[in-house]
Amino acid sequence: MAPSDEPELEHIAVVGTGAMGTGIAQVAAQGGHPVHLVDTMPGAAEAARDRLATTLNRLANKGKITLAEADTTIANLNVADDLASLPPCLLVIEAIREDLGDKCQLFGELADHQPRTTILASNTSSLDITEIASAIPDPERVIGLHFFNPPPLMRLVEIIRGDQHDDEASSAPLRTADALMREWGKTPVHCTSTPGFIVNRVARPFYGEAQRMVANGVADAATIDLALREYAGFRMGPLELTDLIGQDVNLAVGTSVWEQTGRDPRYAPTDFQRELVAEGRLGRKSGRGIFTYDESGRALDASPDAARAQELVGGPVDTDPVARTLAMLVNEAVDLVARGEATADDVDTAMKLGTNYPKGPLEWGREIGYDVVAAQLAELDRVFPGGRYRASAALTEATTA
Ligand SMILES: NC(=O)c1ccc[n+]([C@@H]2O[C@H](COP(=O)([O-])OP(=O)(O)OC[C@H]3O[C@@H](n4cnc5c(N)ncnc54)[C@H](O)[C@@H]3O)[C@@H](O)[C@H]2O)c1
């Protein structure tokens, strides 16, 4: 990345060596950079380096990487005692716990210890990059680099710009981050610091509509999941997927987006999910969520009614799991693009890579027809008034296509 006469600029630091930091460190080290791991918990950074050495040796034994690659990557992993002992870095990636106060304090310290040219990136899933950046004197160097879990396997990285940035073409930190992510084999997309960024924002109705349909008695959870798998091509249905993610984790993301949008009814969490969480029905990890699981993680009570799914799909939109879900996904994506938060291509790429959707929502919108989607939303708004189903004004504007 850096000119070859400035080798010190190629160092990468990862602060916070939990689930995400460890995976990000692997990606950076495999990208050929000396990586420095820092964690405030005693022994955590050493443990992360040891875990990564085991992982890399296992990959070499399986023939996924060469032994030489494993050795070089392991040699690239260093443990730093604290922020003050880090070398000057090209990029520092923060992956500490999701707390604005902690992150602001950390970025302030990083700004003191690192050269002004060092890019300071946060892997936050939900906090505002503009707010994190306001903690330091040179806010333009602060960006969001939102990796997906697990970072070595997930290609998508959302690069987030805050109010401190011009567009990505003219901001050096954003351009450098884009080039670096491509060098690391990632597919970057760009987004403003809008609540939920692209993926966690656009995906909200995928879960919310399914929960509402089960709660309204349209069909049982397994049948709704089947309809979305069979008739829309989703790899997993929304209900089984939230059991996998964890109902508590999914509810926390949804609640964060809802709160950050001023409790916009479009993102209102459901009582259905709140009750699951209150009852400790968190999903696979607790043995019971929407479905009940055996020791191996197999759902014991997911018995879809295929005839019912077939009957619902193509019927009235308020009871059609596919039309209702897709209309909401398209609306959300169109709105995001129309507000200038991300490009249509980036939204489609993000949803396909970040959530494994078989198509991007804008692709779906073109296929279904934006006028059809607008009419479906108008019907949903008539059946369920209150603002959740209001159509984006941009749905009818050709510019969003
Ligand atoms: N887990 C996910 O699926 C996921 C996905 C994308 C983004 N994220 C985001 O990534 C970040 C980290 O998430 P995680 O799941 O890896 O968390 P985690 O709890 O597994 O790890 C956090 C680590 O940070 C360390 N830490 C805390 N404060 C610190 C400080 N001030 N300095 C140095 N180290 C510190 C902790 O000791 C811990 O090892 C969060 O902002 C989260 O929102 C998580």
Side-chain angles (χ1 to χ4, degrees):
M1 207 39 246
S4 53
D5 57 344
E6 291 179 38
E8 77 277 8
L9 289 181
E10 295 192 4
H11 290 268
I12 307 285
V14 176
V15 185
T17 57
M20 294 304 291
T22 305
I24 294 167
Q26 181 183 334
V27 173
Q30 287 190 288
H33 298 266
V35 175
H36 305 270
L37 303 165
V38 193
D39 200 295
T40 43
M41 199 203 293
E46 288 84 352
R49 186 191 50 197
D50 294 348
R51 278 200 307 280
L52 284 175
T54 307
T55 303
L56 289 158
N57 282 323
R58 196 182 311 127
L59 288 175
N61 289 336
K62 284 188 184 165
K64 305 247 173 176
I65 59 175
T66 64
L67 257 176
E69 262 179 89
D71 288 345
T72 314
T73 308
I74 293 166
N76 272 338
L77 294 166
N78 309 279
V79 171
D81 290 338
D82 50 28
L83 302 181
S85 55
L86 288 173
C89 292
L90 169 65
L91 167 69
V92 179
I93 305 175
E94 166 277 311
I96 69 171
R97 76 189 182 101
E98 191 76 336
D99 180 278
L100 182 64
D102 286 1
K103 291 197 196 253
C104 285
Q105 188 182 336
L106 174 64
F107 276 76
E109 289 171 33
L110 286 170
D112 288 343
H113 291 298
Q114 288 290 319
R116 291 180 64 182
T117 47
T118 302
I119 301 170
L120 306 177
S122 174
N123 185 48
T124 179
S125 316
S126 63
L127 300 172
D128 183 7
I129 293 300
T130 307
E131 239 177 306
I132 296 175
S134 68
I136 71 161
D138 300 303
E140 210 214 334
R141 64 203 289 218
V142 177
I143 65 170
L145 269 186
H146 187 219
F147 287 81
F148 288 74
N149 196 7
L153 297 183
M154 297 291 286
R155 266 170 58 204
L156 184 70
V157 178
E158 291 177 328
I159 300 182
I160 316 300
R161 60 183 182 272
D163 292 352
Q164 68 274 24
H165 298 114
D166 301 327
D167 58 57
E168 64 255 24
S170 52
S171 163
L174 295 168
R175 274 202 324 268
T176 304
D178 185 285
L180 193 59
M181 291 307 106
R182 290 178 199 278
E183 276 179 30
W184 293 0
K186 298 297 172 195
T187 304
V189 292
H190 292 262
C191 183
T192 62
S193 188
T194 190
F197 309 140
I198 300 175
V199 171
N200 281 335
R201 175 73 165 264
V202 175
R204 299 290 20 108
F206 183 60
Y207 313 112
E209 291 310 306
Q211 291 163 14
R212 284 171 170 78
M213 282 184 275
V214 175
N216 293 345
V218 171
D220 62 79
T223 302
I224 300 286
D225 277 348
L226 175 81
L228 285 152
R229 285 195 313 267
E230 290 291 310
Y231 296 93
F234 289 100
R235 199 170 291 178
M236 287 182 83
L239 299 150
E240 56 187 343
L241 182 55
T242 48
D243 263 0
L244 179 65
I245 294 168
Q247 297 297 340
D248 52 339
V249 173
N250 189 258
L251 177 62
V253 176
T255 303
S256 162
V257 172
W258 182 53
E259 294 289 357
Q260 289 186 66
T261 55
R263 300 195 164 195
D264 185 331
R266 196 187 270 172
Y267 311 104
T270 60
D271 289 341
F272 174 88
Q273 191 173 40
R274 285 202 187 99
E275 281 161 23
L276 285 173
V277 173
E279 288 168 21
R281 292 170 58 183
L282 305 183
R284 281 199 208 181
K285 65 184 172 187
S286 66
R288 190 164 176 232
I290 294 170
F291 303 107
T292 306
Y293 297 88
D294 68 13
E295 295 279 289
S296 69
R298 195 171 56 93
L300 300 172
D301 50 358
S303 315
D305 178 344
R308 176 74 180 144
Q310 192 179 21
E311 183 187 312
L312 292 173
V313 176
V317 67
D318 56 307
T319 55
D320 178 345
V322 171
R324 185 168 158 174
T325 303
L326 293 186
M328 286 293 275
L329 288 175
V330 171
N331 195 39
E332 201 52 54
V334 162
D335 219 25
L336 198 74
V337 174
R339 288 198 312 272
E341 324 264 27
T343 66
D345 280 351
D346 276 0
V347 171
D348 277 354
T349 300
M351 299 316 289
K352 286 190 282 192
L353 295 183
T355 54
N356 267 323
Y357 286 1
K359 286 181 194 163
L362 281 310
E363 276 178 70
W364 260 313
R366 285 192 293 273
E367 204 174 280
I368 300 165
Y370 289 114
D371 51 339
V372 173
V373 173
Q376 289 169 330
L377 289 165
E379 173 60 8
L380 286 165
D381 187 48
R382 190 190 64 75
V383 179
F384 307 109
R388 177 173 173 82
Y389 298 96
R390 70 181 187 281
S392 166
L395 257 187
T396 47
E397 291 165 17
T399 48
T400 60

